[in-house]
Amino acid sequence: MFARRAANTHRLFVAVAGEESIPAEYADLAEGLEKQGLAIESVLGRGGVGVVFAARQDDAKVAVKIAHPHVAESEAWSATSTVQRLRVPKLTADGLAVHCIPAVSLSLCNRVVQGETVRLLDTKDEAVVRSLGRIQLGNRQGYLMPRVTGDALSLKPGPGLTNLARAIHRLHQVDWPHGDLKPQNVRVNADGGVTLIDPLPVGSELLTPEFSHMNFLVASPLVDSADPRDRRMVARHRDLVALALMVSEAFAEMRPWGHNEVARMLDRSVSMHTKRMDLANARDRLQTLLGKLPKPLKAFVSLALEPGIWPEEGPIFAAYLQARPFETRCDALSTLDVGALVAEATAG
């Protein structure tokens, strides 16, 4: 059933059941899935914790996600092409710095994939892909889902962005945050309908730096909590921050920060001066982009993206802690109907 052929000196592929080529690194997975009654057609994508195959189960087109860790912790891990993938904040060997690295632990990837399955079973919303059941391949966890059509969300005003905002507001009303909102996890069909994929388990330490909030990094004591309710609130807040960043790029063609600034904030080897400059630049860019936004979006983006303050600022930080502004900000953001706001801005 499997025949090897060399595409070049660096990459091997296998042909599966006469269909499209499968990279050789996934050959064993594809063969194992075939033995479980799935006809594997191609690789749909490779994310932070797993690989997704296009398959057929009887006459139905399905997708199957299988836990698959990356092979190395290199800090230079395709930084220009993987900034929107989940990463693990990890201390360096000397304990002096935190770097975002790919997930290289199978146990971690298994936990995340299992958590995704639970999250998908936790809602029946039409904007969230359904789980068709768990699957296990040796010591790897996975799950089946309907094959999602459409492309990743394009960051421009239009039905896709509006329907995403409406879906997020609707899901938050029933206490279901996504947790890893980004264009790759939003599939838009020809009619502008959206399907969310790959929700992050609540409480996971993984993050996508490009869509992470500066306030989490400069005021982390405010968001560290063992209370499941608070951890779910953090995931909800992440959704709104990510949506605000996407709205900023769509309507103003800029955002106040991205992957590089967040990575520097996490890195303890980066000087305090550099981090303060990043914060100052983020605030300046936020003010600039607010001037470019349609009026309905100004309050939402401003409230969601204020970068926060530094813990060392003594009495100011003490007052900041006492006022519990993180919870206040979350509650204030949750009162906004972001779907209606984005729809109004798009129509205007």
Side-chain angles (χ1 to χ4, degrees), residues 93-293:
D94 59 12
L96 298 178
V98 175
H99 291 150
C100 296
I101 63 168
V104 297
S105 163
L106 179 59
S107 62
L108 172 61
C109 293
N110 276 335
R111 290 199 304 272
V112 174
V113 170
Q114 286 179 304
E116 286 180 16
T117 307
V118 172
R119 297 296 316 285
L120 295 179
L121 292 171
D122 198 31
T123 181
K124 303 299 181 185
D125 193 281
E126 61 183 7
V128 180
V129 68
R130 292 180 296 114
S131 170
L132 299 177
R134 301 181 188 226
I135 195 166
Q136 186 164 348
L137 197 59
N139 58 352
R140 299 175 189 268
Q141 300 295 323
Y143 62 90
L144 290 169
M145 55 189 149
R147 201 180 305 179
V148 177
T149 59
D151 299 320
L153 176 70
S154 176
L155 294 182
K156 60 184 180 181
L161 189 61
T162 299
N163 288 332
L164 168 63
R166 285 174 170 158
I168 290 300
H169 179 69
R170 186 171 65 244
L171 289 163
H172 286 189
Q173 292 296 100
V174 294
D175 200 25
W176 196 94
H178 184 279
D180 188 30
L181 203 60
K182 52 192 175 186
Q184 282 75 5
N185 286 345
V186 183
R187 299 292 159 168
V188 184
N189 62 31
D191 298 325
V194 301
T195 303
L196 302 181
I197 60 175
D198 296 347
L200 194 63
V202 173
S204 172
E205 294 181 353
L206 297 176
L207 77 161
T208 302
E210 187 171 6
F211 289 97
S212 297
H213 191 11
M214 300 274 265
N215 191 56
F216 289 142
L217 309 178
V218 299
S220 59
L222 300 179
V223 300
D224 289 339
S225 172
D227 187 330
R229 179 179 60 85
D230 290 346
R231 303 185 87 175
R232 190 171 292 268
M233 180 166 56
V234 170
R236 184 184 70 186
H237 191 228
R238 282 185 178 179
D239 284 355
L240 294 172
V241 166
L243 180 62
L245 288 169
M246 288 189 276
V247 162
S248 297
E249 186 161 324
F251 286 91
E253 298 183 346
M254 63 180 295
R255 64 177 74 178
W257 67 80
H259 172 89
N260 292 333
E261 290 87 351
V262 171
R264 284 196 295 270
M265 285 288 169
L266 283 168
D267 192 337
R268 297 182 185 180
S269 66
V270 173
S271 71
M272 196 69 73
H273 174 74
T274 298
K275 294 181 179 182
R276 289 184 184 277
M277 290 299 296
D278 278 337
L279 270 182
N281 290 335
R283 287 195 178 94
D284 289 343
R285 288 175 62 84
L286 179 59
Q287 291 306 310
T288 299
L289 76 84
L290 287 175
K292 299 180 178 182
L293 291 176

Side-chain angles (χ1 to χ4, degrees), residues 4 24 34 40 42-43 49 84 88 101 131 141 152 178 191 208 251 263 297 305:
R4 293 187 181 274
E34 292 261 346
I40 303 301
S42 63
V43 173
V49 297
Q84 291 187 4
V88 183
I101 63 168
S131 170
Q141 300 295 323
H178 184 279
D191 298 325
T208 302
F251 286 91
L297 296 174
L305 300 186

Side-chain angles (χ1 to χ4, degrees), residues 304-316:
L305 300 186
E306 163 56 37
I309 63 173
W310 282 101
E312 304 95 295
E313 292 179 347
I316 296 177

